[in-house]
Amino acid sequence: MKRYIVYLTGVFSLIVISCDESKLDINNENTISTGNFWKTEADIEHGVVAVYNMFYRQGTWTRNIYTQMQGMADDGVSLAGWTELNEYAKFIFTNYNFGEVNTKIWREHYIAVFRANQVLDHIDDIPFSNEQHRQDLIGQVKFLRSFYYFYLNTLWENIPFVLKTSSASDAPEQKTPAEVFAQLEEDLNDAVSKLPATRPESDYGRPTKGAAYALLAKVYMQDHKWQEAVQCLEWLVDGEGKNYYDLTTDYGDNFRNTTENNRESLYEIQFSLINRVGFDQTDNHLDPNAQLGTQIEMNQAPVGIGWNNVEARRWLVDYYKREQTTDGKNDMRLFYSVWYDDAGKDFPERPDTLIYGNNWRADWGKRVFIKKYSTDENPIYYWNDNNFRSLRYADILLLYAEALNELNGPTPKAIECLNRVRQRVKLPAIQNSTYYDGAQIVSDKAAFKEHLKIERALELSLECVRWIDLKRWGLDDQATINELKSRDSDFNNFIIGKSSRMPIPQSEVDNNPNLTQNPNY
């Protein structure tokens, strides 16, 4: 899949922008437009690849979304030298048109939606040599559109919801999160019915039935539809999906560029250094040789080595060290998740505790840097090719445990799913824990839920999952916010009823009479 995207990065620059309405109806047959491009099956395939291509933008999965998703959660913090960048991760939203985050993430997600809508609007009008291929492509695009909308809804809520090819004169109405969830549930159910269970290695970047089930389960979880979520998760854990997915033996395999697309991965964004080009060329929509790498490593590397736009909170280190493994060692997830001052002492058996080949610097003090998705390159390159694991089987197991608990308390299956995740890293079954009150956890619904919040933090830290979790569990009562403050001082800036969503770019509100700024902004 990586190599297919290379040839089509410039195909779809058909972005809706403000312009003179008198020019809108001119059809230039000598240039590609939404009106004359769609003629053949190959055109549809090119259009689908153009939707994938939007992963390689600073506002999607090349760079900025990591800072924002991790910075707003309690496991990450931005101490970036760019004041506005770090304030945006601290619930300080002064400039609603801040280009590096607010307008860029918004715009590039909607470009992806625009491209997806074009494919869906034209695909049924074009003859296909193989009808199954047509249905597969529809499933892929519905998955991708849902993926982009899921993050738009997570960050902003109350978003314009466009399901048809838009034009410059459109003024789409915004929809509530519940309305967005309902459409995503419909689209992903359709994607489940159309996508294959497996794909050949050359197509690993395209979603499968399991990926659609996983994303659908996450949507249902955010919508608090526990029974519907269980049905999806059941297919993945106890149904056909168990033939394809499992936990890797080595936790670290989920973050290396040498162990991509393994059994634990349900969906990965495929990054590549096939085009090893220079500074920010990824944002050139017209260049067929634009960068297909990710800047996640440069974005999170320590000050003096990378940009250090986002790093980890210290409480993670303390929480990982609460429990010893069954062989008397520290939780290996700590080693693979973060860099910190005592890593060498805590993991004396590991030789690779240096930071990008550097010893710990005294001026870093007690800061904690993110290790997930780092590589061995030293000095680090501006880009890397480490795939981002967007949907991971450990996440699925813990969601399954949570949904089952919401319905019937900590059932044996819920406890089993939790223990599979713990025992992969040699922690004891929760009922045998020497730190937590295992007897209460496995017998009480509220206690099990509270403990899952800890387990998810340790298993999935700094993977752009925690903010989604916090929103699902609720950010609307002061007791919850006070608890978050105890771990993350950024929540001193959090205002209930406001800060759980970002401000809509003011330029969008000004240009669309059907768009209202988010509450309390």
Side-chain angles (χ1 to χ4, degrees):
M1 179 64 185
K2 291 183 183 182
R3 66 177 182 269
Y4 295 157
I5 295 174
V6 176
Y7 305 106
L8 294 156
T9 56
V11 170
F12 275 54
S13 56
L14 310 174
I15 306 164
V16 178
I17 58 174
S18 298
C19 61
D20 183 349
E21 291 191 10
S22 66
K23 299 178 181 178
L24 291 177
D25 295 328
I26 296 176
N27 185 20
N28 184 349
E29 296 296 340
N30 296 314
T31 62
I32 295 174
S33 72
T34 56
N36 64 23
F37 176 77
W38 306 97
K39 293 183 173 68
T40 68
E41 182 176 339
D43 294 337
I44 294 292
E45 181 66 62
H46 294 167
V48 173
V49 172
V51 185
Y52 286 101
N53 177 250
M54 289 309 299
F55 286 145
Y56 308 99
R57 298 289 180 264
Q58 290 179 5
T60 57
W61 293 95
T62 292
R63 182 168 83 200
N64 293 334
I65 200 166
Y66 304 110
T67 303
Q68 197 60 29
M69 290 287 291
Q70 294 170 8
M72 289 194 299
D74 61 337
D75 58 353
V77 58
S78 176
L79 300 177
W82 189 343
T83 301
E84 206 162 20
L85 186 66
N86 77 54
E87 286 185 344
Y88 245 75
K90 293 178 168 63
F91 311 109
I92 301 173
F93 305 110
T94 303
N95 175 13
Y96 296 175
N97 290 324
F98 177 39
E100 187 68 9
V101 173
N102 212 35
T103 59
K104 187 175 287 185
I105 295 176
W106 176 282
R107 179 180 70 248
E108 293 181 352
H109 276 70
Y110 274 108
I111 293 172
V113 168
F114 176 69
R115 293 181 177 190
N117 286 340
Q118 288 185 72
V119 173
L120 294 174
D121 283 349
H122 292 90
I123 192 168
D124 286 333
D125 299 330
I126 292 173
F128 267 65
S129 58
N130 184 314
E131 182 59 27
Q132 185 176 353
H133 182 51
R134 185 205 306 272
Q135 297 305 314
D136 181 13
L137 292 178
I138 292 173
Q140 290 180 47
V141 175
K142 286 195 173 183
F143 172 88
L144 292 170
R145 186 175 68 177
S146 297
F147 187 95
Y148 290 114
Y149 265 134
F150 180 76
Y151 286 95
L152 283 167
N153 203 37
T154 296
L155 290 170
W156 283 279
E157 303 180 7
N158 308 309
I159 56 174
F161 201 46
V162 185
L163 300 175
K164 293 291 183 181
T165 304
S166 54
S167 67
S169 59
D170 288 353
E173 295 181 358
Q174 61 195 133
K175 300 294 184 180
T176 65
E179 290 173 313
V180 173
F181 286 142
Q183 184 63 52
L184 299 190
E185 290 157 11
E186 179 181 328
D187 285 349
L188 287 167
N189 270 300
D190 193 40
V192 163
S193 72
K194 290 178 165 59
L195 294 172
T198 62
R199 292 191 185 277
E201 184 176 349
S202 59
D203 277 350
Y204 273 165
R206 299 178 189 264
T208 59
K209 188 182 297 292
Y213 264 129
L215 183 56
L216 178 57
K218 290 179 83 76
V219 172
Y220 279 137
M221 293 293 289
Q222 297 307 108
D223 205 12
H224 292 180
K225 293 182 178 178
W226 313 119
Q227 185 59 57
E228 291 86 344
V230 162
Q231 291 170 359
C232 299
L233 297 163
E234 187 176 40
W235 186 92
L236 292 163
V237 177
D238 295 319
E240 184 183 344
K242 69 181 180 181
N243 298 315
Y244 316 124
Y245 307 110
D246 200 357
L247 297 176
T248 59
T249 301
D250 184 348
Y251 178 76
D253 282 349
N254 293 296
F255 315 107
R256 298 188 183 99
N257 59 352
T258 56
T259 51
E260 299 168 336
N261 301 304
N262 56 53
R263 282 180 63 83
E264 189 162 343
S265 182
L266 289 93
Y267 191 70
E268 297 185 10
I269 298 175
Q270 310 287 308
F271 290 111
S272 170
L273 291 179
I274 191 171
N275 294 333
R276 200 174 175 94
V277 296
F279 185 84
D280 282 351
Q281 195 168 348
T282 189
D283 269 6
N284 185 349
H285 291 235
L286 300 178
D287 190 343
N289 298 312
Q291 183 57 252
L292 299 176
T294 172
Q295 295 172 328
I296 187 172
E297 182 176 44
M298 178 64 79
N299 193 54
Q300 66 192 23
V303 60
I305 296 176
W307 295 330
N308 187 225
N309 285 335
V310 63
E311 57 192 71
R313 283 290 183 185
R314 185 80 194 190
W315 68 265
L316 278 173
V317 177
D318 300 332
Y319 273 52
Y320 279 119
K321 292 169 72 172
R322 283 174 164 182
E323 278 190 288
Q324 295 285 293
T325 61
T326 53
D327 55 359
K329 297 179 180 179
N330 284 311
D331 186 339
M332 189 53 66
R333 293 176 299 186
L334 170 59
F335 175 81
Y336 284 118
S337 297
V338 293
W339 307 100
Y340 61 104
D341 52 348
D342 288 333
K345 297 177 184 178
D346 290 339
F347 298 94
E349 73 279 12
R350 297 300 301 250
D352 47 348
T353 55
L354 299 180
I355 302 178
Y356 300 104
N358 293 264
N359 289 311
W360 188 266
R361 286 176 14 187
D363 60 298
W364 289 338
K366 304 298 285 186
R367 294 171 73 173
V368 182
F369 302 114
I370 302 172
K371 190 173 185 180
K372 286 179 176 176
Y373 293 107
S374 61
T375 67
D376 294 330
E377 193 143 352
N378 179 34
I380 60 175
Y381 182 53
Y382 195 72
W383 315 91
N384 73 42
D385 61 351
N386 202 343
N387 289 359
F388 186 74
R389 282 68 159 179
S390 299
L391 296 168
R392 188 156 71 82
Y393 193 65
D395 187 4
I396 296 305
L397 288 172
L398 293 176
L399 287 176
Y400 196 20
E402 183 178 339
L404 290 169
N405 182 64
E406 289 289 345
L407 290 173
N408 298 302
T411 63
K413 174 58 69 173
I415 297 167
E416 175 195 325
C417 289
L418 169 59
N419 282 335
R420 284 179 67 180
V421 173
R422 288 174 56 83
Q423 291 172 325
R424 186 255 296 270
V425 292
K426 298 184 178 180
L427 290 177
I430 188 59
Q431 55 268 40
N432 300 325
S433 174
T434 57
Y435 180 86
Y436 298 104
D437 186 348
Q440 182 184 25
I441 289 170
V442 299
S443 61
D444 181 79
K445 179 178 181 178
F448 190 81
K449 180 175 181 177
E450 288 306 305
H451 185 70
L452 272 174
K453 294 178 182 180
I454 297 171
E455 294 286 352
R456 287 185 63 79
L458 300 182
E459 175 66 28
L460 301 162
S461 66
L462 307 161
E463 296 181 43
C464 296
V465 171
R466 185 69 172 175
W467 180 244
I468 298 168
D469 287 348
L470 294 180
K471 294 195 70 168
R472 179 173 70 259
W473 298 327
L475 292 167
D476 52 2
D477 67 274
Q478 195 59 50
T480 295
I481 303 306
N482 290 342
E483 181 188 357
L484 291 167
K485 287 180 184 179
S486 70
R487 294 192 295 268
D488 183 351
S489 60
D490 289 352
F491 278 86
N492 289 316
N493 304 317
F494 191 94
I495 299 173
I496 292 174
K498 175 183 178 179
S499 305
S500 59
R501 61 191 72 86
M502 290 165 59
I504 296 171
Q506 191 58 42
S507 57
E508 298 291 330
V509 176
D510 293 342
N511 289 333
N512 184 352
N514 292 322
L515 199 55
T516 302
Q517 185 56 266
N518 271 331
N520 300 312
Y521 283 101

